[in-house]
Amino acid sequence: MLARQSPCGRVAPRPECRLSDLAVAAKDTLARTPLYELHVERGARMVPFAGYSMPVQYKAGIIAEHLQTREKAGLFDVSHMGQAVLAGPGAARRLETLVPADILALAAGRQRYTQFLDDNGGILDDLMVTRLPGAEERLGLVVNASNKEADFAHLRNKLPELQLEVLADRALLAVQGPNAAEMLAQLLPGVETMAFMSWRKADWHGSRLFVSRSGYTGEDGFEVSVPAAQARAFAERLLSDARAALVGLGARDSLRLEAGLCLHGHDIDTSTTPIEAGLAWSIQKRRRQEGGFPGAERIERELRAGPTRRRVGLELAGKAPARESADVSAQDGRKIGRVTSGGFAPSLGRPIAMGYVESDFAAPGTELNILVRGAPLLARVTRMPFVPHRYFRG
Amino acid sequence: MSAIRYTKDHEYVRLDGDVATIGITDHAQEQLGDIVFVELPQVGKSVEQGGEAAVVESVKAASEVYAPVSGEVIEVNAALEGEPAKVNADPLGDGWFMKLKVRDKSQFDALMDEAAYNEFVATLS
């Protein structure tokens, strides 16, 4: 009976695995982050994820780690993600040919969420873009681990005249939660005043760090890029604060689900557009008017006429979780959608899910059924986030 | 006195007379992590050895629980509905799943005893 912890790609669920599938990872082939030894020493259960051996949880367990992040602060190793700098004259204008966000309007030291799109407006990956300060035109990028090689190849292929520097020798640590700012400010004074979605350099014992006030949990927090050689010392210094604890990918997934945030490869992929996914907010006015990004025609049409399906939040009436790939049906039994992420919400103590439904069924309050092991479970369309965001607004 | 046997799928079965108490092992609960939901069969249902008898859901995933022996479900642990975490806290005690009236005790005898199961688990890591 036991489930598998992961070769499912994500931390989670291939619905219904046997207990005996509990995977023993193909350890040899997996990459390690600079914090690998720290994870093992601190009791992590390591699983394969995006080609890396990553901590899915520590001894406290996913629920405790999740609540720790909501109540105090969690420290996440996200060094598997891709960090890069795209540089050269016209870098912002050129990147706009691949993503729908307004990059030209991005001020130095500010960052924005956007997506690499394909010619149909499908989402190749989602990423954070930062306009780096300085005379030269440089953009900092953070992309998903699973897609980083493809993203970097895409950039080199489409924007050959620009320089792409992949920051492979840097760890990335996320510090998230209500105590994150106070804790990080003890090491890096001044970060507590940073605005949400802003970026700055910082020095720590001679190391150059890059700090952004952002994250993937719905909480206030930071992502800190640290040279690989200093990553462990930096993490241990943060962990010496009694309010901090390591948090694994399992809780990272449940936190982002409660926050209503998409996971690429699950909630968004090349079959979904940003409009269907409810990410229209990430396409600024000038880009909507001017287009000039892949799939602009379709996206303009969906913005005008509405998409045929939409990503929605789903609250289940009962206690059984609905997982990715479960069908969603209308009251009359007709299939009208599919769950793309689902599970137990530790902060709410009950199951939640998100998925796509035909637009006629996307209004909050609409009652639908999710089919789990052949049985219809009552669910209600709900606004997201499921748990209110607590980003720092100054 | 009851005897206990284990399966390679990490279920245990404890036999008292012809009543088998079934649950998942400590290794299983530990590997699953926080258990948030258990789906149990209807009392009166007949289950076959190796057939799906229950579903256990952790935060991360759903896993099937197979019947270690064939029999008729005579009782389920209703307390798990409100407190599925009992499976983590006491898998071999309060965290039991169901009781079966066993048809063929030789199925039980053929399963692994504790020493054999512990040896099996040791090979997994």
Side-chain angles (χ1 to χ4, degrees):
Chain A
M1 76 178 192
L2 272 197
R4 94 169 55 203
Q5 310 272 341
S6 118
C8 313
R10 173 191 204 175
V11 179
R14 161 167 303 184
E16 267 122 279
C17 311
R18 298 188 143 228
L19 280 181
S20 52
D21 288 340
L22 284 172
V24 180
K27 294 179 180 113
D28 310 345
T29 60
L30 296 172
R32 294 175 174 184
T33 75
L35 295 183
Y36 176 85
E37 283 81 14
L38 179 70
H39 298 315
V40 172
E41 286 166 27
R42 302 258 178 159
R45 178 173 305 150
M46 305 301 288
V47 301
F49 181 80
Y52 284 79
S53 178
M54 297 296 292
V56 66
Q57 65 168 83
Y58 302 84
K59 288 191 181 121
I62 294 177
I63 292 178
E65 292 166 26
H66 178 114
L67 298 175
Q68 160 82 25
T69 307
R70 293 261 184 262
E71 288 160 13
K72 294 176 185 163
L75 178 65
F76 303 73
D77 180 12
V78 290
S79 305
H80 56 318
M81 297 185 79
Q83 303 178 65
V85 174
L86 186 68
R93 185 171 290 283
R94 295 290 290 137
L95 184 61
E96 285 195 350
T97 64
L98 305 182
V99 306
D102 189 339
I103 307 298
L104 283 172
L106 201 51
R110 301 289 308 179
Q111 65 178 189
R112 215 157 234 183
Y113 169 80
T114 191
Q115 310 86 29
F116 287 123
L117 299 181
D118 68 16
D119 290 337
N120 295 317
I123 301 173
L124 295 164
D125 197 11
D126 59 347
L127 70 155
M128 299 291 281
V129 179
T130 303
R131 168 89 73 153
L132 302 176
E136 203 193 345
E137 194 166 338
R138 298 168 77 233
L139 300 169
L141 311 178
V142 179
V143 304
N144 281 303
S146 313
N147 302 324
K148 64 183 177 182
E149 297 311 325
D151 290 343
F152 296 153
H154 182 58
L155 285 163
R156 291 192 181 100
N157 179 37
K158 298 286 186 183
L159 310 176
E161 77 286 7
L162 298 178
Q163 291 85 52
L164 181 71
E165 183 195 356
V166 177
L167 307 180
D169 58 346
R170 281 186 166 267
L172 191 63
L173 305 184
V175 191
Q176 302 279 301
N179 295 144
E182 221 178 285
M183 273 175 39
L184 191 62
Q186 291 179 356
L187 283 68
L188 308 174
V191 296
E192 71 280 7
T193 63
M194 288 175 69
F196 180 58
M197 298 291 272
S198 72
W199 180 100
R200 68 163 64 161
K201 290 179 194 167
D203 287 305
W204 186 72
H205 292 285
S207 301
R208 173 53 56 89
L209 312 187
F210 308 139
V211 183
S212 67
R213 195 159 201 165
S214 56
Y216 193 48
T217 61
E219 296 297 320
D220 181 23
F222 301 82
E223 290 189 354
V224 186
S225 173
V226 187
Q230 281 76 47
R232 178 169 180 144
F234 186 77
E236 287 187 319
R237 175 64 186 80
L238 281 169
L239 290 168
S240 69
D241 190 310
R243 295 168 294 183
L246 283 163
V247 177
L249 293 184
R252 184 168 161 85
D253 193 48
S254 56
L255 287 158
R256 70 92 196 165
L257 177 59
E258 285 184 348
L261 301 172
C262 294
L263 176 61
H264 191 270
H266 301 269
D267 310 300
I268 49 176
D269 59 25
T270 52
S271 76
T272 63
T273 69
I275 311 308
E276 292 173 334
L279 302 173
W281 58 269
S282 69
I283 308 177
Q284 287 75 24
K285 191 174 168 194
R286 178 179 64 81
R287 300 308 311 279
R288 295 183 190 202
Q289 290 167 347
E290 295 177 6
F293 53 85
E297 203 170 294
R298 176 174 176 190
I299 284 170
E300 190 276 324
R301 187 173 67 243
E302 288 184 351
L303 278 167
R304 184 164 29 83
T308 58
R309 59 176 188 161
R310 293 178 188 275
R311 183 173 64 96
V312 296
L314 296 162
E315 275 179 340
L316 286 95
K319 291 179 178 173
R323 307 285 182 177
E324 180 176 1
S325 300
D327 283 339
V328 179
S329 62
Q331 300 283 24
D332 64 6
R334 187 169 67 85
K335 186 192 161 186
I336 51 101
R338 192 173 66 86
V339 170
T340 53
S341 283
F344 181 78
S347 299
L348 304 172
R350 55 184 173 77
I352 56 172
M354 65 169 82
Y356 287 82
V357 298
E358 292 177 11
S359 297
D360 287 348
F361 298 89
T366 306
E367 289 194 340
L368 301 170
N369 287 310
I370 303 179
L371 294 170
V372 175
R373 296 183 283 276
L377 303 184
L378 182 63
R380 193 185 308 263
V381 175
T382 181
R383 290 182 202 284
M384 291 188 285
F386 297 97
V387 171
H389 292 164
R390 296 196 287 181
Y391 301 137
F392 179 70
R393 300 292 183 183
Chain B
M1 194 189 125
S2 63
I4 187 162
R5 293 284 186 278
Y6 301 85
T7 72
K8 289 194 170 182
D9 285 327
H10 308 285
E11 293 96 6
Y12 71 82
V13 50
R14 194 190 300 277
L15 196 63
D16 294 279
D18 61 355
V19 175
T21 302
I22 288 160
I24 69 171
T25 66
D26 189 56
H27 172 77
Q29 71 77 19
E30 203 262 326
Q31 291 294 310
L32 283 172
D34 297 318
I35 288 163
V36 298
F37 180 74
V38 178
E39 184 175 291
L40 296 167
Q42 293 286 323
V43 170
K45 185 184 172 185
S46 184
V47 296
E48 296 303 314
Q49 184 178 38
E52 184 186 324
V55 176
V56 57
E57 302 230 16
S58 68
V59 179
K60 294 192 298 293
S63 300
E64 294 176 357
V65 178
Y66 300 98
V69 294
S70 302
E72 182 192 330
V73 179
I74 55 171
E75 190 180 349
V76 296
N77 187 358
L80 297 184
E81 190 182 332
E83 289 181 81
K86 279 179 187 281
V87 179
N88 292 117
D90 190 10
L92 276 73
D94 286 349
W96 63 279
F97 280 35
M98 70 193 80
K99 294 185 181 181
L100 302 183
K101 186 165 187 197
V102 175
R103 290 198 288 269
D104 177 1
K105 288 184 194 173
S106 71
Q107 288 182 337
F108 175 87
D109 295 332
L111 298 173
M112 288 182 282
D113 64 15
E114 187 163 348
Y117 177 70
N118 288 341
E119 209 168 293
F120 168 67
V121 168
T123 66
L124 299 178
S125 52

